[in-house]
Amino acid sequence: MERVVRAPCHVVASSEGFQLAEQRHEAILLFGAPGSGKGTQGKILGTVPGFFHVSTGDVFRALDNNSELGAIFNEYSSRGELVPDDVTIRIWRSHMQREEKADRYRRGRDIVLLDGIPRNVNQAALLDPEVDTLKVIHLTCSDESEMISRLRDRALKQGRSDDAREEVVRRRLEIYKEETQPVLDHYSKDLIAAVDALGAPVEVLARILEHLAPIQAPRFESA
Ligand code: AMP
């Protein structure tokens, strides 16, 4: 039987005094440079009961190209730049609400695998009141040329125009170093697990599971 062992809430100040806010989303951050395999691993892990994968890149790509938000996304992603934080957080929040309402995500029971967010320190701070971060899986890759070649493969297979152009890929990697890497300092060191992103998908998966099993196991007990 499944058992919920944590119910993290936070207290907010309002004109009526202090009140208990909605329970925060419990999350594991999949963190790493473009091409490090966050999406591949996130998709696999999202099929495991009790986990719910959310990729902001996928949420953005699902937007209607003719909508205002779709146009904003195209404008930034085609240059390899980050979409502004207010738009990103708003889109992420409405995605979470939609998934919860549709019962595909059960807050307090499922652990969210956040893939591609937060992408800078401001986003990390904006998420804190809504997200309880249980672990940060940092996919590390010392070989930049390997990541670039993965991005090229993906561009061909998935038709991703941002990864098809060399200068856009370079810009994405630059932004990762300048804006995204500092996000690691936002979290306590004991939350961060460095995982070697090189190797076959199953090898990387096995390394990640070593960190996730101790988080999920206490939530389950035999009937
Ligand atoms: P990804 O699929 O994660 O590589 O994201 C593709 C593009 O979506 C990025 O280059 C950004 O333009 C945009 N994007 C995805 N996630 C975020 C985020 N958290 N903040 C800002 N832009 C994002």
Side-chain angles (χ1 to χ4, degrees):
M1 196 184 67
E2 208 173 326
R3 177 169 68 104
V4 177
V5 290
R6 304 178 83 219
C9 296
H10 67 288
V11 173
V12 287
S14 71
S15 50
E16 288 90 44
F18 290 97
Q19 61 187 51
L20 213 52
E22 245 179 339
Q23 184 180 336
R24 290 191 292 168
H25 304 284
E26 292 179 287
I28 287 165
L29 309 189
L30 297 175
F31 193 89
S36 60
K38 302 184 296 294
T40 302
Q41 296 298 329
K43 279 192 189 84
I44 301 169
L45 290 164
T47 65
V48 176
F51 287 122
F52 183 74
H53 175 226
V54 176
S55 148
T56 42
D58 287 350
V59 174
F60 278 131
R61 279 183 288 277
L63 290 171
D64 178 354
N65 272 332
N66 299 315
S67 67
E68 195 191 335
L69 290 173
I72 295 176
F73 166 64
N74 283 332
E75 179 194 336
Y76 287 91
S77 64
S78 62
R79 299 195 302 250
E81 310 258 331
L82 297 182
V83 175
D85 296 342
D86 56 333
V87 177
T88 299
I89 298 292
R90 198 149 44 90
I91 285 182
W92 168 79
R93 196 180 287 131
S94 59
H95 176 77
M96 296 304 295
Q97 284 164 351
R98 202 166 46 242
E99 295 301 292
E100 196 173 356
K101 218 166 154 203
D103 237 12
R104 287 187 286 265
Y105 160 59
R106 303 159 308 162
R107 192 193 295 238
R109 297 180 80 181
D110 294 335
I111 297 175
V112 184
L113 298 159
L114 283 183
D115 160 6
I117 189 170
R119 270 308 224 269
N120 60 29
V121 174
N122 185 46
Q123 288 183 10
L126 288 169
L127 288 182
D128 278 343
E130 299 176 57
V131 172
D132 178 19
T133 302
L134 308 177
K135 198 91 201 161
V136 179
I137 301 291
H138 178 199
L139 291 167
T140 59
C141 182
S142 48
D143 184 357
E144 195 165 285
S145 60
E146 168 63 23
M147 282 188 287
I148 293 175
S149 106
R150 283 185 188 184
L151 290 173
R152 244 187 239 122
D153 274 6
R154 183 169 76 184
L156 287 174
K157 281 190 199 130
Q158 298 175 7
R160 275 188 59 167
S161 54
D162 53 347
D163 290 336
R165 288 167 48 212
E166 180 92 20
E167 75 270 22
V168 177
V169 168
R170 299 252 167 235
R171 185 72 190 125
R172 269 156 65 70
L173 290 171
E174 252 170 45
I175 292 199
Y176 174 74
K177 283 178 199 154
E178 285 164 16
E179 294 194 42
T180 309
Q181 246 172 1
V183 168
L184 285 174
D185 295 328
H186 182 82
Y187 298 100
S188 140
K189 282 204 169 29
D190 49 276
L191 282 186
I192 301 172
V195 168
D196 184 358
L198 286 177
V202 282
E203 291 175 307
V204 181
L205 179 65
R207 290 174 204 140
I208 295 176
L209 290 176
E210 275 178 37
H211 299 283
L212 301 197
I215 295 174
Q216 199 189 44
R219 292 162 180 258
F220 286 78
E221 64 180 13
S222 46

